[in-house]
DNA sequence: TGCCAGGCCCTCTTTAGGGCCTT
């Protein structure tokens, strides 16, 4: 069966857990074989106030969060929802930081499958002609249908999922010869996101050779 | 008073600095 990738997005009270910021909403979209096969979204309540700027940006208010389920309960649910999935986020260092911090608060057992790939890093390498690599700009530039209000978790996660699908298709078409029939897996994306731009084709070819060698060995 | 993140990329670089991207 094709691997399942979980595309996640956090809305938060600030830029970094190290500064005391907390998640206010999380969404996870499951992609399998390029199709959306599941989605999860929930507001999450913590004891941290939403600053006015963030409330205007996301539309998530302190009043909304007072009625939301506790962050710990939400993290346990979304951890179970994404169990066994490789992860993707737009600017993954940001979401990964909140993911780890909120998981730790909720005493969720770390899932070794939860390795992150980043659509910012990938789009910088694969879409160098884009005006910039903000999620909204890339969505407009690639004519990705609007998925709802930007800066809400599910809308941004769905947009990122469509962007990821476009990036996978780009790799599949541009490096069809190097791929030699192999699919564009999360593992390959993780290698491409840290490859130099001039080494992308060689990176794909090496990856395909390793897969072929492993297949031969089994 | 002004500043406060962090990981990555690019270049006028690597003994550094500035910009991008996320809320």
């Amino acid at each position: 069966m094709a691997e399942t990738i979980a595309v996640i997005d956090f809305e938060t009270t600030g830029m970094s857990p190290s500064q005391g910021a907390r998640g206010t909403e999380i969404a996870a979209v499951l992609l399998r074989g390029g199709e959306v096969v599941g989605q999860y979204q929930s507001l999450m309540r913590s004891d941290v106030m939403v600053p006015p700027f963030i409330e205007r940006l996301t539309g998530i208010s302190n009043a909304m969060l007072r009625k939301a389920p506790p962050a710990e309960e939400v993290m346990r649910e979304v951890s179970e929802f994404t169990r066994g999935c490789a992860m993707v986020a737009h600017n993954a260092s940001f979401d990964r930081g909140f993911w780890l911090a909120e998981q730790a608060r909720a005493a969720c057992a770390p899932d070794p499958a939860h390795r992150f790939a980043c659509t910012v890093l990938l789009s910088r390498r694969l879409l160098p002609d884009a005006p910039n690599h903000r999620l909204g700009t890339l969505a407009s530039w690639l004519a990705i249908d609007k998925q709802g209000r930007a800066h809400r978790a599910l809308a941004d996660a769905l947009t990122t999922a469509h962007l990821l699908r476009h990036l996978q298709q780009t790799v599949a078409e541009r490096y069809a010869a190097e791929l030699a029939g192999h699919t564009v897996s999360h593992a390959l994306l993780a290698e491409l996101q840290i490859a130099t731009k001039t080494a992308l084709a060689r990176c794909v070819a090496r990856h395909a050779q390793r897969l072929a060698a492993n297949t031969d060995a089994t």
Side-chain angles (χ1 to χ4, degrees):
Chain A
M1 179 187 289
E3 68 176 346
T4 306
I5 295 175
V7 180
I8 72 158
D9 186 76
F10 269 101
E11 305 305 318
T12 72
T13 62
M15 296 307 296
S16 173
S18 66
Q19 292 179 298
R22 295 291 306 274
T24 57
E25 186 177 49
I26 187 169
V29 172
L30 303 187
L31 265 184
R32 187 183 304 140
E35 298 298 321
V36 174
V37 296
Q39 56 187 50
Y40 175 98
Q41 179 187 33
S42 180
L43 293 169
M44 48 199 289
R45 188 180 79 243
S46 68
D47 55 359
V48 174
M49 297 291 285
V50 180
F53 164 72
I54 301 292
E55 184 170 335
R56 284 193 298 274
L57 179 72
T58 65
I60 297 171
S61 67
N62 289 296
M64 290 165 66
L65 294 181
R66 276 194 287 274
K67 294 179 284 187
E72 292 77 9
E73 178 184 320
V74 172
M75 287 308 298
R76 285 193 286 271
E77 281 185 359
V78 73
S79 294
E80 187 58 36
F81 184 74
T82 58
R83 184 162 301 285
C85 297
M87 309 286 267
V88 166
H90 197 65
N91 198 22
S93 64
F94 175 86
D95 291 281
R96 181 175 177 274
F98 279 94
W99 178 267
L100 295 176
E102 294 291 352
Q103 271 211 317
R105 283 177 176 273
C108 295
D111 185 339
H114 284 164
R115 297 177 304 276
F116 275 78
C118 175
T119 48
V120 172
L121 298 181
L122 287 164
S123 67
R124 282 177 179 160
R125 284 165 174 78
L126 296 167
L127 309 173
D129 296 331
N132 60 55
H133 300 278
R134 294 174 202 153
L135 184 59
T137 303
L138 290 170
S140 299
W141 193 63
L142 296 171
I144 293 171
D145 289 340
K146 198 170 174 63
Q147 303 296 317
R149 176 185 170 141
H151 297 296
R152 287 300 297 263
L154 183 59
D156 283 1
L158 283 167
T159 301
T160 303
H162 287 288
L163 170 60
L164 174 64
R165 196 163 59 178
H166 180 93
L167 292 167
Q168 287 177 304
Q169 288 170 351
T170 299
V171 173
E173 292 167 10
R174 191 177 300 170
Y175 303 111
E178 290 85 351
L179 276 169
H182 293 287
T183 59
V184 182
S185 64
H186 184 278
L188 174 55
L189 295 173
E191 290 182 43
L192 289 176
Q193 72 177 358
I194 55 172
T196 60
K197 286 176 184 172
T198 55
L200 292 174
R202 289 198 301 276
C203 181
V204 174
R206 278 199 306 270
H207 181 85
Q209 285 165 4
R210 281 198 301 275
L211 289 178
N214 289 339
T215 302
D216 290 344
T218 55

